[in-house]
Every structure is written in structure tokens, then in C-alpha cells.
Amino acid sequence: MMPVAGDVYLITGGSGFLGQEVTKLLIEENRDLSEVRILDRKIQQDFVETLQALAGSRIKLMMFKGDVRDKEVLQKACQGVTDVIHTASAIDIWGNLSKEELEDVNVEGSRLLLETSIQQNVKSFVYTSSVEVVGPNVRGDPICNGDEDVVYLGKLKFWYSRTKYTAEQLILTMNGCLLPNGERIVTCALRPMFIYGENSRFILRHLDKGIINGDVLWRSSRKQALVNPVYVGNVAWAHVLVARAMKDQDKKKIVGGKFYYITDDTPHMSYSDLDHELMSSLGFTIPEKLSMPLLLMYFIAFILEMVAFLLRPFIKYVPKTNRHLITMLNTKFTFTSHKARNDFDYIPRYSWEVAKNKTSTWLASILQQRRDSLNKKQH
């Protein structure tokens, strides 16, 4: 393959919720970009057409269908690439996926992608981590406006969280690794808060529950369990900015091998109150308090977990909730992104007002479609 003049980016999970926004912003904001490659298990044709319109004749687009466990696809996708943004991962906080599958995708897949990137002389590697690699721990110890220097102890319950942390540390420890061409790779990880915005399947799930419940949203978290969600466009913007910093001779020495929390000016609120903020304009309401005492919720979740354990030899039963999910939804857990601002000039691109309006407008555009779909299923 002939070398290309300019930056060649590979975005894993590039057709996904976050990956789409990263790709679009890269095309819009990177003047030195000559080629964008997307690696994903599903390539959405309407998204490809959107990218083609954005890229015009200036930027070459390549699509690779597959995932990060496919060595042959990785070799083709990474050849000639200068920069990798690794957003792809298996996400599971309910227990739908096995420990082995989560490790296979999140850890071994990331390891294989990193090894292939090093073999192919990739200069920079950005990893999309998560605030969940920190916690909450099983005790539900709170954090208020934490930063990268906060030491937070305790065992992580979710295998998703554990595998994301393992992959993150693997990638960060390879910062400065010698490449075959004599240069050294720069690696970095971003830890966004809970990401919301257009096309969020988590927000969609909560919308559907609200429709089924007569336009009343389910309160799964106490009002005082404050978190600070972050808009998908701002998380994507952070990826573009840190990737830019990793090309600067001075800044790459600062960001290389580091992780950064990514937040914006979305107000601190509970997960349930975020749903209400985004959907109240559509006519949805939400109870002021949990439907039952928190202790009772834990007890019921424990019983359901025991039932799932006893049935495991015979059938796979996945409860709709579990004790750690209840802890996560009801623990005060907020962070700041001051370090990202200091080290690579991260300032949120979209205000809370804009983010809220864009998300609510998207929800309004699909509301009737969701109602019709759920009515068909019920009848």
C-alpha cells in the first residue's frame, strides 16, 4: 500500500453511538486528514452516505466490517494508519454477556488491536475508557468532584468495569513503546461520565419503559444520588482534541500514558432525573421518590440473583436488575475535567442547553414510532 500524505485515522466502533460523532468531528475539524477508516461489526449505509457528503473529494473513506478479534481484518485496517481511536467495546451491566465474552472483546480484542497498531507503526492510540473503571465499589462509597489524583479503593462488581480497566491499563503501559520504524507510540485513555445524546440505546430503553408505564418514567435512582452525565458530542470533541495534542511534540509528552475524566456543564443530577430533564417536554412525568425502600430493592435483587444462580445449570435467566446496578444508580459519583482542560485544551463544544435541546428533539422525532412499535408488540 502506497503511503498517504496526511493523517490516516482508524476508528473502531466507528458506526456506533460515540464512534459516529468522533468520525464526523474528525472530518470537520482535522485539516490534515487524508483518510478515515471505520471498523465495525455493522456498517450503517445512511451513516456512510452522511460521511461521504461531509468528506467530499478531500478525504478518502474506507469501511471494514468485522471486530477487534479478527486478526486478518485488523491487519488490513491498520496498514498505513497513523492514528487509532478505539471506541469499540462490549457493554454489559445486567449479566447478558459472559465473563469470557467480555474479556475476549474488551481485553484480548484491545490487546490484539494494540499489537497490530505497533506492528504497523501507528503513531498514536486513543482508548475510550469509562468512569465505571473507577466504580462505584460494592459499598457504594461516594465521590464528589473527583479528579485523576483521587484514590478510590474497593472491588468492582461488574465484569464490564473490570475488563475495561484491564484494557485501559494495558494500553497506557504501552505508551512510548518502540515502533519498527524507530519512532515511539503515544497512548492515552479518556474516561467519560455516562454518555447521553441522540441515538443512545440506554435513553431509548428508558423512553420505552415510560411509554409502557403510561408516560410515567421509572425512578430507579434517588434524587440525591448525583452524577454528572456528559453529552456525546462533547465526548467526541475530547477525542479529537487529545488526538490533536498527541501530534504536538510538547503536548504528547504530557498526555502520553495518562487517563482523563471527561465531563461538561450538564447539571449534576441523578440518572432518573436526567431522563426526566430530557423527556419532560414530551409530556413525561416522574415520581419524586423510589417506588420502594432502597433496602427492599437490594433484598429483591439478591433473591433474583439467587434464582438466576440456581437455574444456571438448566436455563439462562438474567434478572432485570442486580445489587450492583442499584448501587451504581444510587451513589453520588461526580468528577471534573480540569486536567483535560489544562493538558490538551478541552472545553466542551456544546452547552447543556444545546445538548438537552438536540437530545429532546431527537426523542420527539421518534416518539410516535416507538409508541406504534410497542403497541404492536403488546397486541
Side-chain angles (χ1 to χ4, degrees):
M1 184 178 289
M2 292 291 291
V4 179
D7 299 335
V8 180
Y9 274 83
L10 171 65
I11 299 100
T12 69
S15 195
F17 172 46
L18 173 61
Q20 286 195 21
E21 298 303 316
V22 171
T23 307
K24 287 187 285 190
L25 279 178
L26 268 176
I27 291 173
E28 290 173 2
E29 296 294 335
N30 191 329
R31 295 295 96 194
D32 297 321
L33 189 64
S34 63
E35 187 175 326
V36 170
R37 301 178 186 180
I38 287 177
L39 171 64
D40 210 321
R41 291 187 299 174
K42 295 179 181 178
I43 304 294
Q44 301 177 33
Q45 189 55 40
D46 57 344
F47 175 56
V48 174
E49 292 169 4
T50 299
L51 290 186
Q52 288 171 336
L54 276 175
S57 58
R58 179 176 66 92
I59 297 168
K60 181 179 179 181
L61 297 175
M62 292 187 71
M63 306 292 157
F64 295 86
K65 192 172 182 179
D67 69 29
V68 290
R69 296 170 291 181
D70 189 325
K71 292 183 180 181
E72 187 176 339
V73 170
L74 286 184
Q75 287 291 342
K76 293 177 182 176
C78 289
Q79 190 174 7
V81 165
T82 57
D83 310 271
V84 168
I85 296 180
H86 180 27
T87 75
S89 70
I91 302 173
D92 181 46
I93 53 176
W94 299 277
N96 293 314
L97 302 179
S98 68
K99 165 193 169 185
E100 290 74 23
E101 186 171 357
L102 287 166
E103 288 181 334
D104 195 33
V105 175
N106 293 345
V107 180
E108 294 310 314
S110 296
R111 187 195 309 277
L112 187 57
L113 175 64
L114 182 61
E115 289 174 354
T116 308
S117 298
I118 290 170
Q119 292 166 8
Q120 297 289 347
N121 294 307
V122 169
K123 296 178 181 179
S124 72
F125 192 108
V126 181
Y127 178 63
T128 308
S129 187
S130 167
V131 67
E132 288 179 42
V133 304
V134 191
N137 58 28
V138 293
R139 295 188 302 272
D141 294 330
I143 290 181
C144 182
N145 293 327
D147 60 23
E148 290 77 2
D149 295 324
V150 167
V151 177
Y152 185 77
L153 301 176
K155 186 178 180 182
L156 295 169
K157 181 71 174 177
F158 292 135
W159 278 108
Y160 165 69
S161 306
R162 297 188 199 182
T163 56
K164 288 292 285 186
Y165 180 76
T166 301
E168 177 196 90
Q169 295 306 302
L170 166 71
I171 289 161
L172 294 181
T173 55
M174 294 304 288
N175 179 65
C177 176
L178 190 65
L179 301 173
N181 65 3
E183 296 184 42
R184 294 185 182 276
I185 192 171
V186 185
T187 67
C188 182
L190 302 183
R191 293 179 177 178
M193 306 298 105
F194 170 76
I195 307 173
Y196 69 93
E198 306 93 298
N199 301 312
S200 164
R201 60 190 178 99
F202 294 104
I203 298 293
L204 272 182
R205 183 179 285 115
H206 300 159
L207 174 68
D208 288 348
K209 285 183 178 179
I211 293 171
I212 292 169
N213 199 34
D215 290 359
V216 178
L217 299 169
W218 178 257
R219 178 171 287 283
S220 56
S221 50
R222 299 173 295 176
K223 291 185 76 71
Q224 61 267 39
L226 303 179
V227 292
N228 52 330
V230 60
Y231 179 60
V232 63
N234 290 326
V235 179
W237 182 230
H239 282 74
V240 172
L241 290 176
V242 79
R244 185 183 295 171
M246 292 163 87
K247 293 179 173 298
D248 183 282
Q249 288 301 318
D250 295 324
K251 286 184 179 179
K252 72 179 183 181
K253 296 174 184 176
I254 298 172
V255 302
K258 303 279 181 38
F259 67 84
Y260 294 90
Y261 293 112
I262 303 300
T263 70
D264 57 18
D265 70 343
T266 299
H268 292 199
M269 66 185 95
S270 74
Y271 287 107
S272 294
D273 289 301
L274 172 68
D275 290 339
H276 188 230
E277 283 284 343
L278 298 175
M279 300 180 205
S280 61
S281 62
L282 307 180
F284 287 84
T285 60
I286 192 169
E288 281 296 303
K289 296 181 179 181
L290 295 170
S291 60
M292 64 183 75
L294 198 56
L295 197 58
L296 181 56
M297 290 175 67
Y298 275 113
F299 177 72
I300 292 172
F302 171 72
I303 296 299
L304 293 175
E305 288 173 38
M306 289 301 100
V307 170
F309 175 77
L310 293 172
L311 291 176
R312 192 174 300 165
F314 311 104
I315 60 169
K316 182 178 181 180
Y317 164 63
V318 180
K320 293 182 179 180
T321 190
N322 56 67
R323 284 172 293 168
H324 192 61
L325 181 56
I326 294 169
T327 299
M328 185 186 80
L329 294 173
N330 288 280
T331 298
K332 187 173 184 178
F333 218 64
T334 64
F335 291 81
T336 69
S337 50
H338 297 322
K339 189 175 181 182
R341 178 168 186 162
N342 292 336
D343 288 4
F344 58 91
D345 304 320
Y346 166 69
I347 298 174
R349 184 182 177 98
Y350 304 94
S351 68
W352 160 239
E353 290 75 18
V354 170
K356 178 182 176 180
N357 181 259
K358 287 168 76 72
T359 308
S360 296
T361 301
W362 163 68
L363 287 168
S365 72
I366 62 169
L367 179 58
Q368 192 56 50
Q369 176 190 337
R370 305 302 288 192
R371 289 193 193 280
D372 292 343
S373 176
L374 290 168
N375 282 333
K376 284 181 182 179
K377 288 180 181 178
Q378 289 177 333
H379 294 92

